[in-house]
Amino acid sequence: MVAALVIAALFAGYDWAVWAGLALAIACILVSIFYYNPRIMLERQPGVIDWFEDLVFTGLLFVAAAQLLYLVLGSIQ
């Protein structure tokens, strides 16, 4: 729900939405690294596909965070 609101705000062009999107992306990266991988993934007994999916998802979160960071840095100047 929160992600949908942030995405809608980004599409609407609100100035604060880039900061909110960056915060959300960083929060999701931290949850993926420090909670999902050590707790959920190990309890599921993951296979190769599961680990690959998790790496791709986390990698795409890093891409989204980098793009939002570029937007933030570009708007500061």
Side-chain angles (χ1 to χ4, degrees), residues 5-53:
L5 293 173
V6 171
I7 291 168
L10 282 165
F11 279 129
Y14 292 110
D15 294 334
W16 56 266
V18 177
W19 285 99
L22 181 60
L24 181 65
I26 291 171
C28 287
I29 289 169
L30 293 174
V31 167
S32 176
I33 292 172
F34 294 112
Y35 177 72
Y36 186 75
N37 282 339
R39 304 205 81 210
I40 305 300
M41 283 291 279
L42 295 180
E43 289 178 11
R44 288 181 50 209
Q45 301 297 318
V48 174
I49 301 280
D50 296 317
W51 284 111
F52 179 74
E53 174 193 6

Side-chain angles (χ1 to χ4, degrees), residues 28-29 32-33 37 51-67:
C28 287
I29 289 169
S32 176
I33 292 172
N37 282 339
W51 284 111
F52 179 74
E53 174 193 6
D54 181 60
L55 287 173
V56 169
F57 177 75
T58 306
L60 289 173
L61 285 172
F62 273 102
V63 170
Q67 290 180 344

